[in-house]
Amino acid sequence: MKQMPNRKITLDLQEIIKMYDDGMSTTEVAIAGNVSSRRITQILKKNNVELRPRGHWKRKYHINEDYFKFWSPNMPYILGFFLADGIISGEMQTVSFAQKEIEILEQIRDEMESNHPIGEYKNGVHFLNINSKIIKGDLMNIHGLTPNKSRTVEFPYVQEEYMHHFIRGYFDGDGSIYKKGNMINFVGGSYSFILDLIDVLDDKGFDPIITSKDNHFRIYISGKRP
């Protein structure tokens, strides 16, 4: 049988050691480095880093694991933000937020009553990895998200009174503002989601325009509103 090639690690040795010393689990470091937790463990052992007992992070980090079960002004915002910029691990019980602006992740972490550490990739993007079987299950089973959601995600059910919070969260994750022309845009990879988003914006009195390029879709809204 042909041996599968090793995935290229995206972290250097000092980053791996610092993340682990800062309290991140080998699973969290592995997700950041695009490799298995077993490989991270091997690297740490090879460089004489003292390993914590297995499961130690469970005692160190806490979070409101029922956060996505109940509606509130902030929950749909975080749900929308996660739908745009979040990742559900296919194999591990981990969900991850990513964003260039660390302040947003700090606010999300505080809102979810978490003390999980925030890491940083080489390209300057920050990430918040949360190990929770319950949160992963709620995002999938209650809100319909999947590990490979970018192309297939459906518009989730959102209570109408909280819809603007959800849209605001999605925009903060996958939207942008043009300095000229009074224009904003949303971007997404799921055509079904984008079509439903257009319907919501239509209902709110906007006049959105959709374009597509390289399997991505953009919604443009222009003009001033009174």
Side-chain angles (χ1 to χ4, degrees), residues 94-106:
T94 304
V95 300
S96 304
F97 294 84
Q99 176 63 219
K100 288 184 177 181
E101 299 177 16
I102 190 173
E103 292 81 6
I104 294 179
L105 297 187
E106 289 173 339

Side-chain angles (χ1 to χ4, degrees), residues 73-82 104 165-166 168-170 172:
N74 288 330
M75 189 277 274
Y77 171 88
I78 294 178
L79 179 64
F81 185 88
F82 183 83
I104 294 179
H165 294 296
F166 175 79
R168 185 167 54 89
Y170 185 79
D172 282 353

Side-chain angles (χ1 to χ4, degrees), residues 1-5:
M1 180 180 295
K2 186 177 180 181
Q3 187 175 5
M4 294 296 291

Side-chain angles (χ1 to χ4, degrees), residues 6-52 54 92 121 127 129:
N6 290 330
R7 287 179 288 181
K8 184 177 180 180
I9 193 165
T10 57
L11 299 171
D12 61 34
L13 176 60
Q14 295 305 315
E15 288 175 316
I16 293 171
I17 293 175
K18 185 179 186 303
M19 287 180 180
Y20 189 74
D21 285 345
D22 285 346
M24 295 180 70
S25 68
T26 54
T27 297
E28 291 173 317
V29 179
I31 293 173
N34 191 39
V35 291
S36 67
S37 59
R38 180 172 178 271
R39 187 171 175 194
I40 294 298
T41 300
Q42 290 173 339
I43 291 172
L44 294 172
K45 286 182 176 179
K46 183 178 179 180
N47 289 274
N48 301 315
V49 176
E50 184 177 355
L51 298 179
R52 298 186 294 271
R54 186 175 178 82
M92 296 173 283
Y121 295 115
F127 61 89
N129 293 336

Side-chain angles (χ1 to χ4, degrees), residues 98-138:
Q99 176 63 219
K100 288 184 177 181
E101 299 177 16
I102 190 173
E103 292 81 6
I104 294 179
L105 297 187
E106 289 173 339
Q107 291 170 5
I108 289 174
R109 181 178 62 181
D110 292 345
E111 168 65 18
M112 296 182 70
E113 301 171 39
S114 169
N115 65 339
H116 283 77
I118 295 174
E120 184 178 0
Y121 295 115
K122 289 182 179 180
N123 61 2
V125 173
H126 297 88
F127 61 89
L128 170 63
N129 293 336
I130 295 172
N131 294 281
S132 172
K133 182 178 180 180
I134 294 173
I135 287 179
K136 177 181 178 181
D138 287 348

